[in-house]
Amino acid sequence: GRRAWTALLACFALLASPLNAPAAPATDLASLEAIPDAAQIVVHLRGIKGVANRAMAFLEKALPEQAGLDKTFVDDFLEEGIGGRKLAGLNADGPVFILFPEVPKPDADKPKFLLLLSVSNFNAFRDGIFLAGEKKSIKSAGTASSIELETGEKLFFAEHKGFFAASQSDALLGKYLGAWDSIASKIGKGQGARLLGNDISFFVNLARLS
């Protein structure tokens, strides 16, 4: 609901403040090719492992008495995962994108989204992130696959452009796996560098807002 979205946005804004990093090198801008021009909102995280490690480095300077305990938890999470789910096969500083095809309505509990995680090994990530019982339900769905999660929800996923792409909407993922124009050539190198250079950032595609 509205409160959940407000809390989520506030959390991202808070996290973005101490973790800003230098602008992304020009070579990193190639990852923008993975974002369709049709996406209305893009949330970017500069690598799950990379952000976690930089956050720990920040805490070691700001709160050294607390950092040791937190670092142990984070290290265990990055190496061993949580709840049986592991983060194997991820690029440490590879971008994570959450794409929204339309602006989420405040009263929408489950807005449609597309999750993109930069992976060095798709199979390793798939085998690590899903639980053993869940993996038994994996079925081929054309160029994608479907899986029934422990929660009873269905997720559709595929490998595309070096990313683990997933969505709760098979239609949305299907469009992503098809042909489309990217935002890479439309937002400019400066704006692209700002989007990818920060640990957490947002992009609102004003040209696509309805």
Side-chain angles (χ1 to χ4, degrees):
R2 184 187 300 271
R3 291 183 179 179
W5 276 106
T6 301
L8 179 62
L9 292 174
C11 180
F12 275 124
L14 177 63
L15 287 173
S17 177
L19 299 181
N20 282 346
T27 52
D28 292 345
L29 296 179
S31 62
L32 294 176
E33 296 286 350
I35 304 177
D37 179 48
Q40 291 195 358
I41 297 178
V42 178
V43 180
H44 162 257
L45 180 68
R46 195 181 180 191
I48 293 176
K49 293 183 176 182
V51 169
N53 289 331
R54 287 189 290 277
M56 287 300 96
F58 172 81
L59 282 179
E60 286 177 352
K61 293 181 179 179
L63 299 170
E65 67 282 357
Q66 180 68 28
L69 181 61
D70 290 339
K71 189 175 189 305
T72 298
F73 173 80
V74 170
D75 287 346
D76 287 345
F77 167 69
L78 294 179
E79 293 300 322
E80 302 299 329
I82 189 169
R85 302 185 191 276
K86 298 184 178 182
L87 298 176
L90 274 179
N91 285 318
D93 282 318
V96 175
F97 297 114
I98 305 174
L99 312 180
F100 294 91
E102 58 187 23
V103 177
K105 295 178 174 59
D107 58 348
D109 291 331
K110 297 180 180 180
K112 291 183 179 179
F113 67 88
L114 181 69
L115 176 65
L116 305 178
L117 299 104
S118 176
V119 291
S120 58
N121 188 317
F122 174 85
N123 291 337
F125 180 77
R126 177 201 60 201
D127 293 341
I129 201 65
F130 294 129
L131 302 177
E134 295 173 339
K135 284 183 283 191
K136 294 178 181 179
S137 71
I138 293 179
K139 296 179 181 178
S140 176
T143 55
S145 298
S146 68
I147 187 170
E148 187 172 331
L149 301 178
E150 191 176 46
T151 59
E153 296 177 295
K154 183 170 285 188
L155 187 72
F156 300 87
F157 65 93
E159 181 177 16
H160 195 61
K161 296 180 180 291
F163 286 86
F164 178 93
S167 177
Q168 81 280 47
S169 168
D170 58 338
L172 182 57
L173 181 61
K175 286 183 179 180
Y176 183 70
L177 298 178
W180 39 263
D181 294 327
S182 78
I183 67 169
S185 62
K186 300 180 181 181
I187 68 172
K189 290 184 178 180
Q191 190 175 11
R194 286 192 295 273
L195 174 64
L196 299 178
N198 291 324
D199 278 333
I200 299 174
S201 53
F202 300 86
F203 172 74
V204 178
N205 194 346
L206 297 177
R208 289 286 183 172
L209 288 180
S210 56

